[in-house]
Amino acid sequence: MVINIPHASIALKGIFFAHLILTVWSNFCGSLPESFVFYNTIFLLTIIWSLHQRESEEPPFMALCTNLLSIMFDIVNLAYYWPYTMSGMKRFGAAMAILNLLLRPLTSFLLYRIVQDRAGSYGSFGLPSGFEGIFGGPRRSPYEDIDQAPQTNPSAGVDPENIPTSSPNENLFTT
């Protein structure tokens, strides 16, 4: 099953505004540390950088790495700084922080697909080949690579009826 993502700039703008709103609303909780705002600001800046440099795969890759680290940071911050008393605004802020955390895997998926689209044929980033199928298989660049000749199948010119067939015992140790 291949999932098509919308145009990269639309997806990046959606990611930016969703996380901006949820980060601001999470601060209504009042018990999250300043580091929460710091790493979310770095994440939002990498998204803006990705919107600015539309050709490079590095900005969305940095946003992906920051987002993956932010998942861990969010879990630690929410576990350690969870508000004990829950008034209306603290409950709302804590709920928005949890919603921000739940949105991060989808954001990671979208950023990974954007990185693949921008990287073209170089989109594996050194991952083993088994990991390509996790996110919908290998992606092709929308651009044709004119530096390489088209690949041909070496067995395409061979007639299957003219292939000699012999049993393995006939050719074994014969000279």
Side-chain angles (χ1 to χ4, degrees):
M1 180 172 130
V2 176
I3 299 173
N4 293 325
I5 62 170
H7 193 268
S9 66
I10 296 171
L12 287 170
K13 289 174 187 175
I15 290 168
F16 175 79
F17 285 116
H19 284 284
L20 174 69
I21 291 168
L22 291 173
T23 300
V24 169
W25 285 350
S26 296
N27 285 323
F28 290 158
C29 180
S31 60
L32 293 172
E34 293 175 2
S35 64
F36 181 82
V37 176
F38 179 71
Y39 65 79
N40 279 298
T41 302
I42 290 175
F43 173 66
L44 292 173
L45 287 174
T46 57
I47 296 295
I48 292 172
W49 182 29
S50 299
L51 284 167
H52 179 68
Q53 288 190 345
R54 295 174 190 252
E55 300 294 322
S56 177
E57 73 271 4
E58 212 166 298
F61 182 71
M62 289 298 294
L64 174 65
C65 292
T66 305
N67 192 42
L68 291 174
L69 285 172
S70 295
I71 292 173
M72 182 183 64
F73 294 153
D74 279 349
I75 292 171
V76 170
N77 279 332
L78 288 173
Y80 190 72
Y81 293 105
W82 186 257
Y84 293 111
T85 60
M86 297 289 264
S87 65
M89 287 306 277
K90 285 188 178 187
R91 187 177 307 149
F92 177 75
M96 293 302 111
I98 291 172
L99 192 60
N100 192 21
L101 175 62
L102 293 175
L103 184 63
R104 288 197 185 275
L106 176 64
T107 300
S108 296
F109 173 75
L110 291 173
L111 287 171
Y112 181 77
R113 295 301 288 250
I114 291 169
V115 168
Q116 280 185 326
D117 285 343
R118 288 189 185 185
S121 61
Y122 306 109
S124 68
F125 294 107
L127 293 175
S129 61
F131 287 106
E132 291 178 351
I134 292 174
F135 295 110
R139 303 273 296 180
R140 291 184 175 247
S141 175
Y143 302 105
E144 180 181 353
D145 188 8
I146 60 173
D147 291 340
Q148 296 180 357
Q151 295 180 355
T152 58
N153 189 356
S155 64
V158 178
D159 186 16
E161 294 180 8
N162 293 333
I163 297 175
T165 58
S166 61
S167 67
N169 295 336
E170 292 176 6
N171 294 332
L172 194 59
F173 300 113
T174 58
T175 57

